Structure formats: C-alpha cells, structure tokens
C-alpha cells in the first residue's frame, strides 16, 4: 500500500461495501473479484435476498475463500432499500467507520471507488454521480436517460436540494451520518431509498459531495427497475415535497400572527 492510501485508511477507518443481490449469479464473482483487487483494504458484505438462481451459494463460496467477505442471507425479496437497511444495521453493529453501497451488476466500477473514498475525507456522504462534470452513462437507451434525468431534476425542484444525482446507488456514508439520520424511521423499500437518505443527510446539516463516475449498463442479467418501482419513487418524492412546502407555509403563517 502506498503512503497516500495508508494515510487515507488511517483517516477513514474500517470500510465495508454493502452489495445487495437478487439473481446475480452471472455477475457476483466477477464484480467482487474486481472490488477486492481495486480496494484490498475494503471489506465486502453481500446481502442476498434468497436468490433462486444460486447467488447465495456463490456468495458463501466467496466468503469461505476470503476473510474480508461476509454474507448476510435474508429470507425474502423485500426491496433494495430493505436489503441496504439490513446491511447497514449489521455493519454498524460490527463497528465499521465507513459504510458504502454498490450494485452487483457491474454498473458501478470498483476501480473508481478510490474517488469516493478520497472525497469522504471532508464529507459525510459521498455520491458517485452521473450528472456532475466528468460523469457519464454508457449503453443506456435514450428513454432511460430521459427518465433518469427528469427524475433527478424533479427531485431538485420539488425538494429544493442541489444534489444532481440523488437516485445514484454508488455511495459512501460515515457511520456518524447513518447514526444521525435515524435509519429506524426509513420506511421505503425501492429505489427511492437513495433519494430519501440523501435528503435526510442534507436536512441534518451534513455535507454531501458528488464525484464523477462512469456508469455502465449491465451486460448480464435483468434490471430490477420496473414501472411499479418508478411510480413508487414519483409518489414518495411528490408527497415529501408537498409536505415540506406545507410545513414552510404553516411556519410563515405563525410568524405573521406573532
């Protein structure tokens, strides 16, 4: 390990990447090998939702061969947010200082994790962003690009936040961030979970930084994004935005009456 990486390890403390899986048998060993090569000092926690394709068994084999890999087996497929919350709770109990997220399908390149880790030195949450300068998307169809861009613009306008890629799932949290934003009150399970946690972090007065990444569409397996997931995200964000505006209006009215 070079001096710069050693200093970063000392400053950040123990780090674990939480990798949720459901039917990722074709991708898991490949992406975990890349992660362990790119960041050998970072631990890995695979959270499998009882995948019927044997992903859980592959995860167990990887863990048996590498002490820095562990597997959390869940009994049902309850959504991305539920899997991450479970993994976060386990990681906090195990005393990790930095807890990260990344997909198992190859969309998030482990070789770029160093950018996120460096940025966390002066932040509370770091997001690997497709929509800041230097960020990009590879192999997405035009409709998917437009849907994602519109969704992130909608979040910025409705919630009044500056994060350009609040739906991104390549992230690093300090343990103090997760402790402060009260994970016990998070009740979303789909992809809107990402927006929820970014918003909670900002509302808590913490620092969120975005660093550019190259996001690559999966080449094997099926995407877990569906129409119902997109609808849930839109409904939740709309409700949060309207609730926030109603709170501001009530506060302004109380000020006028005084």
């Amino acid at each position: 390990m070079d001096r710069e990486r050693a200093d970063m390890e000392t400053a950040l403390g123990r780090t674990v990447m939480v990798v949720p899986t459901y039917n990722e048998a074709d991708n898991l060993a490949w992406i975990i090998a890349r992660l362990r090569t790119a960041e050998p000092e970072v631990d890995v926690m695979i959270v499998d939702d009882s995948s019927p394709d044997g992903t859980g068994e592959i995860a167990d084999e990887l863990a048996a061969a590498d002490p820095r890999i562990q597997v959390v087996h869940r009994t049902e497929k309850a959504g991305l947010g539920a899997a991450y919350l479970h993994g976060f709770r386990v990681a906090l109990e195990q005393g990790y200082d930095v807890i990260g997220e990344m997909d198992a399908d190859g969309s998030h390149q482990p070789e770029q994790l160093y950018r996120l880790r460096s940025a966390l030195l002066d932040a509370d949450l770091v997001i690997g962003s497709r929509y800041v300068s230097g960020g990009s998307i590879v192999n997405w169809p035009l409709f998917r690009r437009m849907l994602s861009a519109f969704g992130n613009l909608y979040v910025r306008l409705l919630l009044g936040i500056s994060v350009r890629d609040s739906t991104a799932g390549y992230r690093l949290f300090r343990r103090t961030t997760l402790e402060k934003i009260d994970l016990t009150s998070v009740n979303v399970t789909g992809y809107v979970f990402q927006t929820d946690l970014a918003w909670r972090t900002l509302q808590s007065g913490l620092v969120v930084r975005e660093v550019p990444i190259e996001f690559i569409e999966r080449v094997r397996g099926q995407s877990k994004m569906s129409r119902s997931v997109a609808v849930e995200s839109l409904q939740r964000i709309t409700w949060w935005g309207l609730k926030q505006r109603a709170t501001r209006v009530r506060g302004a009215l109380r000020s006028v009456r005084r």
Side-chain angles (χ1 to χ4, degrees), residues 8-235:
M8 185 169 63
E9 295 294 336
T10 301
L12 294 179
R14 294 174 64 221
T15 300
V16 63
M17 294 303 293
V18 178
V19 184
T21 57
Y22 185 77
N23 287 350
E24 293 292 354
D26 291 339
N27 294 308
L28 185 60
W30 164 69
I31 196 65
I32 297 301
R34 288 174 58 191
L35 175 56
R36 294 292 295 119
T37 299
E39 296 289 344
E41 302 304 315
V42 172
D43 292 345
V44 181
M45 180 188 299
I46 301 166
V47 181
D48 186 64
D49 278 4
S50 295
S51 299
D53 72 342
T55 299
E57 289 77 5
I58 294 172
D60 286 336
E61 293 172 2
L62 295 173
D66 187 338
R68 286 190 174 272
I69 300 173
Q70 62 176 301
V71 186
V72 175
H73 291 282
R74 288 163 45 81
T75 58
E76 63 178 345
K77 185 177 185 293
L80 182 72
Y84 271 130
L85 286 173
H86 192 152
F88 289 172
R89 285 193 292 269
V90 174
L92 289 170
E93 290 170 0
Q94 293 178 350
Y96 282 99
D97 302 294
V98 175
I99 301 169
E101 307 178 16
M102 67 175 287
D103 290 346
D105 61 7
S107 297
H108 301 143
Q109 299 181 67
E111 296 79 11
Q112 297 182 344
L113 180 55
Y114 184 76
R115 301 180 187 179
L116 279 68
R117 301 188 72 206
S118 297
L120 195 65
L121 291 171
D122 58 0
D124 301 294
L125 163 61
V126 174
I127 299 174
S129 177
R130 298 160 291 187
Y131 300 122
V132 296
S133 178
S136 61
I137 299 172
V138 177
N139 294 333
W140 259 12
L142 179 60
F143 175 76
R144 187 79 183 272
R145 287 174 178 264
M146 292 176 63
L147 181 64
S148 176
F150 169 77
N152 277 285
L153 176 61
Y154 188 70
V155 168
R156 292 201 303 277
L157 294 176
L158 204 61
L159 300 184
I161 64 177
S162 59
V163 176
R164 300 192 64 81
D165 199 353
S166 63
T167 61
Y170 201 6
R171 303 180 173 205
L172 290 178
F173 294 88
R174 291 186 179 270
R175 72 169 293 117
T176 51
T177 303
L178 294 178
E179 290 169 341
K180 188 169 185 178
I181 63 179
D182 186 17
L183 293 178
T184 61
S185 66
V186 177
N187 59 4
V188 293
T189 58
Y191 284 77
V192 73
F193 168 83
Q194 309 292 12
T195 300
D196 189 6
L197 263 60
W199 190 38
R200 285 169 182 260
T201 301
L202 290 168
Q203 286 185 311
S204 297
L206 300 176
V207 176
V208 177
R209 290 190 60 191
E210 294 182 88
V211 297
I213 62 165
E214 180 185 57
F215 179 94
I216 302 177
E217 173 66 336
R218 67 161 65 232
V219 295
R220 296 186 293 267
Q222 296 295 317
S223 172
K224 309 305 187 297
M225 176 62 76
S226 66
R227 183 181 299 274
S228 62
V229 168
V231 170
E232 180 207 12
S233 299
L234 183 62
Q235 290 174 336

Side-chain angles (χ1 to χ4, degrees), residues 236-253:
R236 289 280 187 168
I237 293 165
T238 301
W239 167 244
W240 293 336
L242 293 176
K243 184 179 179 181
Q244 178 176 256
R245 280 164 171 71
T247 299
R248 290 175 179 171
V249 169
R250 286 194 295 270
L253 290 175

